[in-house]
């Protein structure tokens, strides 16, 4: 006897993956997208963008993933994840996990379309009305950064990340010429920037003192140290920032060795966020279980998709660690769409980074999420609500760009 339920949701023949392709496009910046198609003609899109290393993921998908996808049941999302994770033998790493994420997100998109449901409902339904986001304010000096934060507040933002220039340093992280489109990957080969910690440690607390004096205590303020500090320096900065009540201090020190975070914790109660460069639950296990961080930033595109990030979020929830997904412009609107559905569901959601894409990018990736009153709202269309206009995408060919590097005054390589 036919099962009416399974018929309504398509038979396994309908769900068979018949085609998959990689689309590389540069509408303002480079993006890699995986598009998967089922026999019944349903399409799903997954983001596969790894800033500065885009073609490595494109090749991984084209040569090693797509041949294995054809003929598989698009509904077997978990099994497909395990197949590409365990089956590759070579586990983890940003290239592999970004490729797996692209497949995973495209399959969740297909599932949503087949079930005629927005992704957040498949995950367990709505936990909140909208998703608190933070925007990026930056300035060459304290004055300019203070005015920028004001501009974000007037646009309706309730949370703003603030970065400012450091006297004597050319091109410090997070400060750009183009205010709205801070775009670090600017040149074909890495731009060389210089770094010196003392001036930075001096100016950042002054910036936040000024921001509180000017804009009051209601707005949430965030800051990204971008892996530049030694643990003891990070501890000092976190302590100096305490009076200004940051929402978080991000990437205070590199997390390759999580022990550094113990030192920061010992000296300060400034909340800590980390994880945008992580690609696995194993990168954050000790930080979460040791309660060494407050927010985990690993996001869907670089950490194995919804299937894996859900496990990270569940682990984090047990230790009262909240999510704070990476959302810079090098993560495509496809990731933003999927992340917003995840954020709408996740019980331990904290905040979502939102650096607006440029108009060209928005046109290539039509989407249904929208910003209102400091929050982003995912749409109600089935799946994650973001597609790719392939004809338009073809008009923007790949343009090789790499992230900058940083050196100390004596020429030593440092963390950018
Ligand atoms: C952030 C990030 C970005 C990264 C960029 C690298 O917090 O938004 O640190 O600015 O530098 O995503 O590709
Ligand atoms: Mg960051």
């Amino acid at each position: 006897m036919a099962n009416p339920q399974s018929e309504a949701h398509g038979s396994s023949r309908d769900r068979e993956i018949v085609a998959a392709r990689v689309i590389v496009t540069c509408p303002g910046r480079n993006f890699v997208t995986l598009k998967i198609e089922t026999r019944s003609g349903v399409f799903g899109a997954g983001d596969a963008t790894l800033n500065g290393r885009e073609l490595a993921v494109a090749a991984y998908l084209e040569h090693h993933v797509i041949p294995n996808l054809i003929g598989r049941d698009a509904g077997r999302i978990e099994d497909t994840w395990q197949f590409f994770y365990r089956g590759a033998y070579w586990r983890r790493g940003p290239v592999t996990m970004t490729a797996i994420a692209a497949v995973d997100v495209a399959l969740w998109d297909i599932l949503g379309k087949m079930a005629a449901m927005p992704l957040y409902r498949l995950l367990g339904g709505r936990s909140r009305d909208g998703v608190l986001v933070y925007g990026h304010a930056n300035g060459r000096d304290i004055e300019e950064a203070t005015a920028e934060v004001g501009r974000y507040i007037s646009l309706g933002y309730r949370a703003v990340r603030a970065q400012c220039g450091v006297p004597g340093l050319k091109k410090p992280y997070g400060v750009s010429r183009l205010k709205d489109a801070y775009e670090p990957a600017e040149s074909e080969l890495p731009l060389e920037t210089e770094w010196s910690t003392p001036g930075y440690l001096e100016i950042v607390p002054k910036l936040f003192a000024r921001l509180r004096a000017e804009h009051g205590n209601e707005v949430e303020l965030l800051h990204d140290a971008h892996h530049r500090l030694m643990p003891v320096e990070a501890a000092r900065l976190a302590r100096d920032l305490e009076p200004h009540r940051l929402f978080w201090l991000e990437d205070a020190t590199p997390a390759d060795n999580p022990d550094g975070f113990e030192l920061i914790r010992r000296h300060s109660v400034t909340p800590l966020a980390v994880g945008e460069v992580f690609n696995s639950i194993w990168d954050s296990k000790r930080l979460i279980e040791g309660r060494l961080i407050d927010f985990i930033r690993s996001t869907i595109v670089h950490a194995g998709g919804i299937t894996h990030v859900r496990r990270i979020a569940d682990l984090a929830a047990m230790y009262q660690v909240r999510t704070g997904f990476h959302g810079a412009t090098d993560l495509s609107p496809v990731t933003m769409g999927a992340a917003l559905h995840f954020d709408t569901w996740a019980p331990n959601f904290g905040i979502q980074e939102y650096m607006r894409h440029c108009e060209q990018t928005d046109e290539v990736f039509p989407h249904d999420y929208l910003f209102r009153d400091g929050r982003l709202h995912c749409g109600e269309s089935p799946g994650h609500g973001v597609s790719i206009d392939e004809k338009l995408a073809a008009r923007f060919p790949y343009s090789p760009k790499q992230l900058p590097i940083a050196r100390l005054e004596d020429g030593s390589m440092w963390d950018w």
Side-chain angles (χ1 to χ4, degrees), residues 73 75 111 135 202 251 267 411:
D73 179 345
L111 181 65
E202 183 85 19
D251 291 342
H267 295 283

Side-chain angles (χ1 to χ4, degrees), residues 134 136 161 173 224-227 250-251 276 297 326 353:
Y134 68 90
H136 279 222
R161 182 189 102 155
Y173 164 79
D224 189 348
H226 222 251
H227 308 111
E250 173 182 340
D251 291 342
E276 69 181 39
R297 282 183 46 73
H326 189 196
E353 180 177 15

Side-chain angles (χ1 to χ4, degrees), residues 29 50-52 134 136 161 163 173-174 182-185 223-228 248 250-251 276-277 297 302 325-331 353-355 403-404 416:
R29 67 163 351 283
L50 186 60
N51 202 5
Y134 68 90
H136 279 222
R161 182 189 102 155
Q163 311 286 138
Y173 164 79
Y182 164 65
E183 196 54 82
H223 181 71
D224 189 348
H226 222 251
H227 308 111
R228 301 290 163 80
W248 79 34
E250 173 182 340
D251 291 342
E276 69 181 39
V277 301
R297 282 183 46 73
H302 298 136
F325 287 167
H326 189 196
T329 36
D330 47 290
L331 286 70
E353 180 177 15
Y354 178 43
M355 211 173 147
L403 289 165
W416 175 73

Side-chain angles (χ1 to χ4, degrees), residues 168-200:
L169 287 188
K170 282 183 235 123
K171 285 200 72 57
Y173 164 79
V175 181
S176 68
R177 283 166 292 130
L178 316 158
K179 282 206 180 78
D180 268 351
Y182 164 65
E183 196 54 82
E186 278 183 320
S187 51
E188 192 160 342
L189 291 176
L191 194 77
E192 300 235 345
T193 66
E194 52 179 17
W195 180 251
S196 152
T197 301
Y200 171 79

